[in-house]
Amino acid sequence: FKTPWLAAASTLLYVFFPTSIYYGRIMTHEPINLFFILALFLAVILFEQQQRPKYLIGICAITFLGGLTDWPFFFAAAAAWLYVVLRNDYPQRRKVLVCVLIFTSASMAVTMLQIWSIAHLNPIAFIQDLYLRRSIEPLGAFLFLIFLFWRFTYDSRGFTDIGLIFAAIGIISYLRTHREDKKKMLPAMFLVVPGFFTYLLFYPTATTHAFSGLYFVPFAALMSAWGIS
């Protein structure tokens, strides 16, 4: 964050976006999943800045617990892992990369065990039936892009028109401010990864699951606050 005011403004926008208010009032696992996504990104950045062992322990614990909440968390874990890979000066880089891989694998293994114990099915076959072998026609590239645009347009109503305008201003300002230092763009870019890959991979269920836009709330809040500033 550029200033404490920016941190406070983005937090207030995050809380008061209509999407956040709606999902904060119903008992679903998506807000918990988003909590672990943000907690993981925060732990990764804090360990980079302060190099305290407790933040490394936090990365491991959050990675394991977050993976038990919902699939989009695994996209966040992959983004965090890639962030560390791209930062050559990241402290204890190899240890962090190994820890994220181990605890992501452990969390995924527990998820597979839950599927087997509850549904009494091969977990891999169950996931393939759920996401890959659906009775829908495959979309071509052009129709797929149209669908993603329509889906994001629908979900963006939860950020309000004013919020979207300030977010657009913030994105332009952010890119101009950090155009000479590409590394500073990475944290903001990785905030988009969970939402983007939720759209990209789970689009067959997007018409029945309206929560996809929730994963863009942190990025929209941060860019809106940046635009206001």
Side-chain angles (χ1 to χ4, degrees), residues 68-179:
L68 301 179
T69 57
D70 201 3
W71 297 107
F73 180 85
F74 293 120
F75 305 145
W81 191 87
L82 186 59
Y83 174 82
V84 177
V85 168
L86 296 177
R87 296 298 296 258
N88 295 325
D89 56 347
Y90 195 92
Q92 303 183 46
R93 188 161 165 255
R94 181 175 297 179
K95 181 185 291 186
V96 174
L97 293 175
V98 171
C99 287
V100 172
L101 284 177
I102 290 175
F103 284 92
T104 299
S105 301
S107 183
M108 189 172 293
V110 172
T111 300
M112 296 296 183
L113 182 61
Q114 289 175 330
I115 293 174
W116 175 81
S117 62
I118 295 172
H120 301 290
L121 295 172
N122 182 327
I124 302 300
F126 178 82
I127 293 173
Q128 288 176 338
D129 290 337
L130 192 61
Y131 295 112
L132 301 179
R133 298 171 182 168
R134 299 178 61 86
S135 57
I136 62 171
E137 291 294 328
L139 296 178
F142 180 69
L143 291 177
F144 181 66
L145 291 175
I146 292 178
F147 174 80
L148 290 182
F149 175 77
W150 168 83
R151 181 72 230 187
F152 181 74
T153 301
Y154 176 82
D155 289 334
S156 64
R157 297 183 305 169
F159 307 136
T160 72
D161 293 340
I162 298 297
L164 290 173
I165 291 172
F166 281 122
I169 296 172
I171 291 172
I172 295 172
S173 174
Y174 193 87
L175 293 175
R176 292 182 61 183
T177 301
H178 298 302
R179 60 186 174 186

Side-chain angles (χ1 to χ4, degrees), residues 194-215:
F196 176 76
F197 278 97
T198 300
Y199 278 7
L200 191 65
L201 299 182
F202 295 156
Y203 76 91
T205 61
T207 54
T208 55
H209 295 85
F211 55 78
S212 303
L214 180 66
Y215 295 108

